[in-house]
Amino acid sequence: MKIIDKIQQAMEAKEPFYSFEFFPPKTSAGVENLSARMERMATLEPLFVDVTWGAGGSTSDLTLAISANAQKYLGVEVLMHLTCTNLKVEEIKGALNKAREAGIQNILALRGDPAKGLGNWEAAEGGLRHAIDLVRLIREEHGDYFGVAVAGHPEGHVDGRTGAEEGGQDDDRRDEGWEALELKRLKEKVDAGADFVITQFFYDTEAFLSYVKRCREVGITCPIIPGIMAIQNYNAFARMTDFCETRVPSDVREALKPITSDDDAVKDYGVDLGIRMCKALTEAGTPGVVLKRVGCGGN
Ligand SMILES: Cc1cc2nc3c(=O)[nH]c(=O)nc-3n(C[C@H](O)[C@H](O)[C@H](O)COP(=O)(O)OP(=O)(O)OC[C@H]3O[C@@H](n4cnc5c(N)ncnc54)[C@H](O)[C@@H]3O)c2cc1C
């Protein structure tokens, strides 16, 4: 079933929903742990589960295998992430065909993060350049078979802010213009055939709500689902917020300051903050949330 249909049903019934995002582990022991964890978490009845596509396409076979397994045995719809990084068009077509053969009907179409060790993102030779190219390819090759989601960036995408994607590092874009351009790019992805948007994580709920408002103003009408990443570990939080240039509100920064080396305290705070964020978003009319990186089953 297409996830957009499930989202619409939940919205009509005014039933807030959640989904879980999993990422492929690095070892076979990790794969077994993940499988057990996914089985346990499926009993919590998420609306769907996501499986990420490792940076640079590093986990493509595993992502396909985990997604296929979950789709077949867990009784839950899978949203498989697929990126353009390091893949030729033929390889992307191959991944889509394999997903379809495995009964997967939902794809999160992404450009992708740069491969490990690379600063700027570069298109593969014979590959695709932007997420919109992937949305178009999916629609051209498979018509309406797949439900398609795309990424949104409530605080702006780092390439959009710097102008790196539009052919140059233009400092003026930091001050004006880039936000409108980012919204235009998102609208283009939706117009090209995406059914809904999942956002990058954030810790400032007002930033998300204002982003949704601006999306509506430019005519993006589809569901926009916030990605929530509970803080589970201080170092990972610092690394991810730095990499994505995520704004950390001062109250969050202050609360973490005295507990950075106390893993249990950080986790407790992260869970509490995550719950408060989900409540605030739901009360403000957000239909559901994607709980990001809830597990990979170890390394
Ligand atoms: C919910 C979510 C899940 C994610 N999962 C993964 C994952 O599993 N694996 C992974 O590697 N990464 C993942 N990412 C990270 C994502 O791949 C990166 O954020 C990536 O840098 C941008 O992806 P995108 O799909 O938004 O790219 P795009 O939509 O292509 O946008 C990237 C930049 O290019 C600009 N742009 C878009 N179209 C054009 C155009 N036609 N001309 C000029 N500029 C343009 C945009 O404005 C933006 O600045 C995820 C991100 C999110 C939000």
Side-chain angles (χ1 to χ4, degrees):
M1 182 175 182
K2 285 192 189 164
I3 289 168
I4 184 62
D5 294 333
K6 298 191 81 171
I7 291 178
Q8 267 154 2
Q9 280 171 9
M11 286 172 72
E12 274 159 31
K14 296 196 174 10
E15 278 172 9
F17 63 84
Y18 51 84
S19 81
F20 299 136
E21 181 194 274
F22 298 95
F23 57 103
K26 295 193 182 100
T27 63
S28 50
V31 173
E32 271 178 41
N33 287 343
L34 176 63
S35 177
R37 180 180 294 208
M38 287 177 82
E39 205 174 318
R40 269 196 321 273
M41 292 185 79
T43 62
L44 299 171
E45 299 186 357
L47 197 75
F48 60 95
V49 299
D50 304 39
V51 183
T52 66
W53 191 263
S58 51
T59 65
S60 48
D61 288 345
L62 200 48
T63 297
L64 271 161
I66 293 168
S67 301
N69 204 48
Q71 183 70 47
K72 196 164 174 191
Y73 298 113
L74 291 188
V76 58
E77 276 320 314
V78 174
L79 177 64
M80 190 184 90
H81 297 200
L82 178 59
T83 79
C84 308
T85 314
N86 283 349
L87 292 180
K88 294 184 193 322
V89 169
E90 288 312 312
E91 292 169 320
I92 296 177
K93 286 183 184 172
L96 287 167
N97 288 337
K98 280 189 197 161
R100 187 167 177 165
E101 280 159 24
I104 295 160
Q105 215 189 334
N106 296 279
I107 302 286
L108 175 56
L110 299 148
R111 184 194 74 176
D113 280 329
K116 214 170 182 182
L118 287 183
N120 287 335
W121 192 85
E122 306 223 346
E125 213 180 308
L128 302 176
R129 183 83 191 80
H130 298 291
I132 189 172
D133 303 323
L134 181 51
V135 176
R136 288 189 180 127
L137 181 79
I138 295 171
R139 290 298 178 220
E140 276 160 26
E141 292 286 311
H142 295 276
D144 272 347
Y145 172 78
F146 285 109
V148 178
V150 288
H153 303 272
E155 299 183 51
H157 185 273
V158 60
D159 290 354
R161 282 196 297 269
T162 59
E165 272 292 340
E166 303 280 342
Q169 301 280 332
D170 179 353
D171 283 345
D172 289 346
R173 292 173 58 97
R174 286 187 172 275
D175 305 323
E176 55 181 337
W178 65 264
E179 282 185 316
L181 203 50
E182 289 287 287
L183 290 176
K184 181 169 169 263
R185 298 297 181 205
L186 179 62
K187 182 159 189 311
E188 285 168 357
K189 287 197 281 193
V190 174
D191 291 347
D195 303 310
F196 66 101
V197 176
I198 301 180
T199 75
Q200 190 52 281
F201 70 94
F202 53 86
Y203 294 100
D204 178 355
T205 50
E206 287 307 317
F208 171 80
L209 295 171
S210 132
Y211 176 70
V212 174
K213 191 163 168 277
R214 282 179 285 126
C215 286
R216 300 305 182 220
E217 282 165 7
V218 299
I220 299 167
T221 56
C222 66
I224 301 175
I225 313 301
I228 303 292
M229 189 151 75
I231 305 168
Q232 303 190 43
N233 164 294
Y234 183 76
N235 289 339
F237 162 78
R239 196 177 55 246
M240 289 299 282
T241 49
D242 184 51
F243 178 70
C244 298
E245 297 188 7
T246 313
R247 202 180 82 72
V248 181
S250 55
D251 58 321
V252 176
R253 205 178 285 281
E254 287 307 313
L256 286 170
K257 226 184 233 170
I259 55 171
T260 50
S261 47
D262 182 341
D263 288 351
D264 289 340
V266 169
K267 209 170 202 170
D268 287 347
Y269 175 73
V271 170
D272 180 59
L273 176 67
I275 291 171
R276 282 188 280 123
M277 287 176 69
C278 291
K279 275 191 179 154
L281 291 166
T282 308
E283 279 164 14
T286 306
V289 295
V290 169
L291 301 173
K292 286 177 76 68
R293 295 180 87 81
V294 294
C296 80
N299 284 320

